[in-house]
Amino acid sequence: MSHSNINKAYENPGLLFLETALYRMPAAYAEITGNPGNGEITGIVRFYPAYDGVLVNAEIYGLPTSDTNCADNIFGFHIHEGTSCTGNSSDPYADAGQHFNPASCPHPAHKGDMMPLFGDRGFAWMMYYTERFSLPDIIGRTIIVHDKPDDFTSQPSGNSGSKIACGTILEPL
């Protein structure tokens, strides 16, 4: 990016975010896969350094859908403290742990609390900027998709329901 383009980007953060997502390789990513019984949930979450924070881009396929006209199709989406998407028969992602919350803040001020996913016909795409965490904070941790929307109130983690998909945040090779 030329010097004049960099100056323009700082005048317009949206332009910097768009150029970052289109032309740069992510500094970290997580491949998302669903647990048995929840269809074929797949996707990728990309993390890019931007300004003093992180640009997060999520692309998720195969989310549960509803035939109800008023279904919310909103899914909780969080970084968890664990480093593995393994578990047991009652919780296939038990080893993902709790929300990433190193400062022991009340919910929804955890560092791992992210924007919810809004599904449309089983697909969700979103991009947002955050300074809640840095890339070194999250590499090696897990990302969870929950089957219900986060209520942003209930303690300790927003009453977002079951874990239906998971991925581990990795650095590209």
Side-chain angles (χ1 to χ4, degrees):
M1 192 180 288
S2 74
H3 181 68
S4 62
N5 286 343
I6 290 171
N7 287 337
K8 285 182 183 179
Y10 282 97
E11 293 171 11
N12 182 348
L15 178 61
L16 173 68
F17 298 153
L18 181 60
E19 288 178 349
T20 296
L22 288 173
Y23 302 117
R24 295 191 184 164
M25 293 294 296
Y29 70 98
E31 292 181 11
I32 305 298
T33 56
N35 64 32
N38 281 300
E40 299 294 325
I41 299 173
T42 61
I44 189 161
V45 182
R46 298 172 186 93
F47 299 90
Y48 303 88
Y51 293 117
D52 292 329
V54 177
L55 185 63
V56 179
N57 171 231
E59 184 177 327
I60 311 295
Y61 301 89
L63 291 165
T65 60
S66 172
D67 293 335
T68 306
N69 286 338
C70 298
D72 57 23
N73 295 318
I74 302 171
F75 303 89
F77 191 53
H78 308 103
I79 296 173
H80 282 234
E81 65 190 2
T83 59
S84 173
C85 288
T86 57
N88 54 57
S89 60
S90 63
D91 182 356
Y93 302 126
D95 297 332
Q98 300 300 313
H99 288 192
F100 177 52
N101 187 16
S104 299
C105 296
H107 182 70
H110 302 160
K111 285 189 180 257
D113 290 334
M114 297 197 294
M115 304 288 291
L117 294 171
F118 284 77
D120 188 9
R121 293 186 222 168
F123 172 71
W125 189 95
M126 68 123 164
M127 183 178 289
Y128 78 99
Y129 173 79
T130 184
E131 293 181 9
R132 283 185 180 239
F133 51 79
S134 68
L135 288 164
D137 288 340
I138 62 168
I139 291 173
R141 301 197 184 282
T142 51
I143 293 184
I144 293 289
V145 177
H146 295 270
D147 68 344
K148 295 180 183 172
D150 189 317
D151 68 14
F152 299 104
T153 304
S154 301
Q155 300 302 321
S157 58
N159 197 29
S160 343
S162 299
K163 301 172 191 141
I164 60 171
C166 183
T168 301
I169 303 167
L170 306 169
E171 291 181 277
L173 298 176

